[in-house]
Amino acid sequence: VAIARAQVVAAEAGVRTADANIAQARLQLSYTHIVAPAPGYVARRTVEVGNYVNAGQSLLAIVQPACWVTANLKESQLTYLQVGQQAKVTVDAFAVHALDARVDSLQRGTGSQFSSLPAENATGNYVKVVQRLPVKLVFDDVQACERLHLAPGMSVEPSIRVK
C-alpha cells in the first residue's frame, strides 16, 4: 500500500510538472503573435514572411485613420489664436478642395526646443530668432482623409480665422 501511495504522489507530481510545461509552452507561443498597438494602415514594412525578429525591432509603420494637420506658425501669428477657432486647409495635391478644420491644440514648446539638436544662439550678439510653434488642426469632416487619400508628409496651406 505504501508503495502504491508513493507512486500516486509521484504521478501527481508528474501531472503538475506537465501542466507547468504546458503553461510555459503557451506563454512562449503567445510571444510569437505580434499585435499592432493601434488600428491603421501599414505604411512601411521592413520584414518579410519567414524573417527572424528580435524584441524591440521595428517591423512596420502604422498610419492611423485619424488625421490632422500640424501647422508650424510663427510666434507673431499666435497673438489672437485660440483653441476651437475655425480654419481652412488646402492640400497642395488637391488644391480645389478647401477642407474645414478647427484648432485643436497648441504645443507647449517650440519645434526647435524638442528637436534632436536644439539651436544654441550664443554668439555674443543678441539675435532675435523667430520661433515656430506647432498647432494641431483637426478636420471637421472625419472622412476627408479617406476620400482624398491624405497621407503623412503632404504639403498644406492652413488659414485660421482669428477674429
Side-chain angles (χ1 to χ4, degrees), residues 1-136:
V1 173
I3 294 173
R5 284 187 184 141
Q7 288 174 339
V8 168
V9 170
E12 287 173 348
V15 169
R16 285 194 300 276
T17 301
D19 287 341
N21 288 338
I22 290 172
Q24 179 66 23
R26 284 189 177 135
L27 178 65
Q28 293 297 324
L29 181 63
S30 74
Y31 294 153
T32 64
H33 296 283
I34 300 171
V35 180
Y41 303 98
V42 175
R44 183 182 30 158
R45 189 177 65 187
T46 59
V47 293
E48 297 295 330
V49 174
N51 286 58
Y52 289 100
V53 296
N54 297 314
Q57 178 181 347
S58 176
L59 305 178
L60 48 91
I62 297 176
V63 176
Q64 294 184 11
C67 67
W68 63 88
V69 171
T70 303
N72 291 310
L73 302 178
K74 296 179 193 174
E75 290 175 281
S76 58
Q77 296 172 316
L78 301 174
T79 306
Y80 302 107
L81 192 68
Q82 294 178 359
V83 172
Q85 289 176 323
Q86 295 299 312
K88 291 274 186 191
V89 177
T90 305
V91 182
D92 288 356
F94 313 105
V96 295
H97 295 91
L99 302 170
D100 293 323
R102 61 181 164 73
V103 176
D104 184 66
S105 63
L106 286 77
Q107 184 170 305
R108 298 293 182 209
T110 62
S112 66
Q113 263 323 103
F114 296 111
S115 69
S116 1
L117 295 170
E120 294 289 336
N121 297 322
T123 60
N125 295 327
Y126 179 75
V127 177
K128 183 177 179 181
V129 178
V130 177
Q131 298 295 318
R132 292 185 174 267
L133 188 86
V135 175
K136 183 178 179 181

